Amino acid sequence: MTADQDWLCGAARAVETDPETIRTVFPVAGRRVGRAPLEPATDQHGLVHGTTDDAARARLIDAMSGAVDPDRLTDLLIWLYRNGGAAERRGVLRGLSALAERRPHRLTGLVVPAGVALCEDALRSNDPRLVAAAVGPFAGQYLGAHGWRHAVLKCLFLGVPTAVIARLPQRADAELARMVDGYVAERRAAGRAVPDDARALTSRQLI
Amino acid sequence: MRIFDPHIHMTSRTTDDYERMYAAGVRALVEPAFWLGQPRTGVESFLDYFDALVGWEQFRAAQFGIRHHCTLALNPKEANDPRCRPVLTELPRYLDSDGVVAIGEIGYDSMTTAEDEVFAEQLQLAVEYDLPALVHSPHRDKLAGTRRSLDVVRESGIDPGRVVIDHLNEVTVRVVADAGAWMGFSIYPDTKMDPDRMVAILKEFGTDRILVNSAADWGRSDPLTTLRTGEAMLAAGFSTAEVEQVLWSNPVTFYGEQRLILDPLPGFEAGAAGTFEGNSVLRGGVPS
């Protein structure tokens, strides 16, 4: 086991024993495990698969979620997000998505509406890494249709690859296609190239 | 060329920009209150921002010979955070201040219910305080958002001639022209509009009810795109009078001479400058 993994296992155990510990281990994760993209060959900025510190923070949230009731989980998630910098906010969002994928039974009570509010907050930012982290499996499952369609458009605007968007094929509908058609029309009127990701979501593709 | 930039976020710019703008002919501007990139989480940070727009930033601009005005509002993006909503009850006390010339930026970001409510409520403030309204058109689902903005304007009872719908493009300009509102265009280095596309729109729609701005802010933008548009207009055969109309008279007409302060700043050219609460931006220069 490397020193990085050693630290992460120890931190996760500490959080399981005393969930309050997450307030101090969460911010330092990047310094302890690094910040490199998990799949550098295909995902240089860690938008699609995240980064080492994203994965570490998701693991810490997983550890915390098994040790607290839904109300406390909600409070701690909100606290970590609101008191965190961009990397910690990403970690919270990726943690929510990890829970949605692997421990959906822990997403009960107020955890889901609070998580949705955090995703909506991140989707108002113009930081591609934050936006990418906010359109993962948690948002794919719980974000309302209107907000989710705007999230897809936001990815197109910021150049975030649509490969990051969970459940895109299942949720893409005629209304999304209409919005993407409008986006493509504006790009064409301005004499700008239409990205392949946008072309794939137009109404023509839907038919 | 005399230039009035009707939409520029000087808080995010440097004194180099003020110097270049003055040299380019900018003598007046309007800075709309908007989002700062990092979301605000409470009312107090809005109030400090508003205070800066009616205080420090006016002073900073004046040291470079430029008259600074502002528009104030709770912007559509932050209207979605319930912690920011009480800004609406604080806003009225600013609306009679010197330098506040409109309500804005209001409008839509994601077209949520919260945005609907905050947009409509602030249009009522514009009516009540007899102020024009600066409406930001959304980046996403832009044509639908522009149409819905015009619906909200109609429902509010405000004269559409006192509303500008901003950040328009080839796809959205027609519905705004037909509605009788002012048409705003932001000229950016590589998004929104560019000078040549702006000239094409001016050829098609004429020079009335059109505002051209740089909308320069903390993102990739250029405070001199107003000048570049004027140059492109002249190169395309527009007269100097038409350029003066678009780049000076139209913003003056839209914001209104009653509220604007447009007389030249006294003694500016001689290098004289004052201080703001004891502070000068001249860094080593000696204020007179």
Coordinates of all heavy atoms in Angstrom, one line a residue, chain B residues 2-7 25-30 69 212 226 246-249 251-252 255 260 262:
Chain B
R2 N -16.8 60.2 -29.8 CA -17.3 60.3 -28.3 C -18.1 59.0 -28.0 O -19.0 58.7 -28.7 CB -18.1 61.6 -28.2 CG -18.4 61.8 -26.7 CD -19.0 63.2 -26.5 NE -20.1 63.5 -27.4 CZ -21.1 64.3 -27.1 NH1 -21.2 65.0 -26.0 NH2 -22.1 64.6 -28.0
I3 N -17.7 58.4 -26.9 CA -18.3 57.1 -26.6 C -18.9 57.1 -25.2 O -18.3 57.5 -24.3 CB -17.2 56.0 -26.8 CG1 -16.7 55.9 -28.2 CG2 -17.8 54.6 -26.4 CD1 -15.5 55.0 -28.4
F4 N -20.1 56.5 -25.2 CA -20.8 56.2 -23.9 C -21.0 54.7 -23.9 O -21.7 54.2 -24.7 CB -22.1 56.9 -23.9 CG -22.9 56.8 -22.6 CD1 -23.5 58.0 -22.1 CD2 -23.0 55.6 -21.9 CE1 -24.3 57.9 -20.9 CE2 -23.8 55.6 -20.7 CZ -24.4 56.7 -20.3
D5 N -20.3 54.0 -23.0 CA -20.4 52.5 -22.9 C -21.6 52.2 -22.0 O -21.5 52.4 -20.8 CB -19.2 51.8 -22.4 CG -19.2 50.3 -22.7 OD1 -20.3 49.8 -22.7 OD2 -18.1 49.7 -22.8
P6 N -22.7 51.8 -22.5 CA -23.9 51.6 -21.7 C -24.0 50.3 -20.9 O -25.0 50.1 -20.2 CB -25.1 51.6 -22.7 CG -24.5 51.1 -24.0 CD -23.0 51.5 -23.9
H7 N -22.9 49.5 -20.9 CA -22.9 48.3 -20.1 C -21.4 47.8 -20.0 O -20.9 47.2 -21.0 CB -23.8 47.2 -20.8 CG -23.8 45.9 -20.1 ND1 -24.9 45.1 -20.2 CD2 -23.0 45.3 -19.2 CE1 -24.8 44.0 -19.4 NE2 -23.6 44.1 -18.8
G25 N -11.9 57.7 -26.3 CA -13.0 58.6 -26.5 C -14.2 58.3 -25.5 O -15.2 59.0 -25.6
V26 N -14.0 57.3 -24.6 CA -15.0 57.0 -23.7 C -15.1 58.2 -22.6 O -14.1 58.4 -22.0 CB -14.8 55.7 -23.0 CG1 -15.9 55.4 -21.9 CG2 -14.8 54.5 -24.0
R27 N -16.3 58.8 -22.5 CA -16.4 59.8 -21.5 C -17.5 59.5 -20.5 O -17.6 60.2 -19.4 CB -16.8 61.2 -22.2 CG -15.7 61.7 -23.1 CD -14.5 62.2 -22.3 NE -13.4 62.6 -23.2 CZ -12.4 61.8 -23.7 NH1 -12.4 60.5 -23.4 NH2 -11.5 62.3 -24.5
A28 N -18.3 58.5 -20.7 CA -19.3 58.1 -19.8 C -19.6 56.6 -19.9 O -19.4 56.0 -21.0 CB -20.6 58.9 -20.0
L29 N -20.1 56.0 -18.8 CA -20.4 54.6 -18.9 C -21.5 54.3 -17.8 O -21.7 55.1 -16.9 CB -19.1 53.8 -18.7 CG -18.4 53.9 -17.3 CD1 -19.0 53.1 -16.2 CD2 -16.9 53.5 -17.5
V30 N -22.1 53.1 -18.0 CA -23.0 52.6 -17.0 C -22.5 51.2 -16.7 O -22.2 50.4 -17.5 CB -24.4 52.5 -17.6 CG1 -25.3 51.7 -16.6 CG2 -25.0 53.9 -17.7
H69 N -21.8 55.7 -14.0 CA -23.2 55.5 -13.5 C -23.4 54.0 -13.3 O -22.6 53.2 -13.8 CB -24.2 56.1 -14.5 CG -23.9 57.4 -15.0 ND1 -23.1 57.7 -16.1 CD2 -24.3 58.7 -14.6 CE1 -23.0 59.0 -16.3 NE2 -23.7 59.6 -15.4
V212 N -24.9 49.7 -28.2 CA -23.8 48.8 -28.4 C -22.9 49.0 -27.1 O -22.5 50.1 -26.8 CB -23.0 49.3 -29.6 CG1 -21.7 48.6 -29.7 CG2 -23.8 48.9 -30.9
T226 N -16.4 49.0 -28.2 CA -17.3 50.0 -28.7 C -16.6 50.8 -29.8 O -17.2 51.1 -30.8 CB -17.7 50.9 -27.5 OG1 -16.5 51.3 -26.8 CG2 -18.7 50.3 -26.6
V246 N -25.3 56.1 -32.3 CA -25.2 54.7 -31.7 C -24.4 54.7 -30.4 O -24.7 54.2 -29.4 CB -24.7 53.7 -32.7 CG1 -24.4 52.3 -32.0 CG2 -25.7 53.5 -33.8
L247 N -23.2 55.4 -30.5 CA -22.2 55.3 -29.4 C -22.4 56.4 -28.4 O -21.7 56.3 -27.3 CB -20.8 55.3 -30.0 CG -20.4 54.1 -30.9 CD1 -19.0 54.2 -31.2 CD2 -20.7 52.8 -30.1
W248 N -23.2 57.4 -28.6 CA -23.4 58.4 -27.6 C -24.8 58.8 -27.3 O -25.4 58.6 -26.2 CB -22.6 59.7 -27.9 CG -22.7 60.7 -26.8 CD1 -23.6 61.7 -26.7 CD2 -21.9 60.7 -25.6 NE1 -23.4 62.4 -25.5 CE2 -22.3 61.8 -24.8 CE3 -20.8 60.0 -25.1 CZ2 -21.8 62.1 -23.6 CZ3 -20.2 60.3 -23.9 CH2 -20.7 61.4 -23.2
S249 N -25.5 59.3 -28.4 CA -26.9 59.8 -28.2 C -27.8 58.7 -27.7 O -28.7 59.0 -26.9 CB -27.4 60.5 -29.4 OG -26.4 61.3 -30.0
P251 N -27.4 55.9 -25.9 CA -27.4 55.6 -24.4 C -27.9 56.8 -23.6 O -28.6 56.6 -22.6 CB -25.9 55.4 -24.1 CG -25.3 55.1 -25.4 CD -26.1 55.7 -26.5
V252 N -27.6 58.0 -24.0 CA -28.1 59.2 -23.3 C -29.6 59.2 -23.3 O -30.3 59.5 -22.3 CB -27.5 60.5 -23.9 CG1 -28.1 61.7 -23.3 CG2 -26.0 60.5 -23.7
Y255 N -31.0 56.1 -21.0 CA -30.9 56.3 -19.6 C -31.5 57.6 -19.1 O -32.0 57.7 -18.0 CB -29.5 56.2 -19.1 CG -28.9 54.8 -19.2 CD1 -27.9 54.4 -20.1 CD2 -29.5 53.8 -18.4 CE1 -27.4 53.1 -20.1 CE2 -29.0 52.5 -18.5 CZ -28.0 52.1 -19.3 OH -27.5 50.8 -19.4
L260 N -28.5 61.3 -15.7 CA -27.1 61.2 -16.1 C -26.3 62.5 -15.7 O -26.9 63.5 -15.7 CB -26.9 60.9 -17.6 CG -27.5 59.6 -18.1 CD1 -27.5 59.6 -19.6 CD2 -26.6 58.4 -17.6
L262 N -23.2 64.4 -17.2 CA -22.4 64.2 -18.4 C -21.5 65.4 -18.6 O -20.7 65.4 -19.6 CB -23.3 64.1 -19.6 CG -24.1 62.7 -19.6 CD1 -25.1 62.7 -20.8 CD2 -23.2 61.5 -19.7

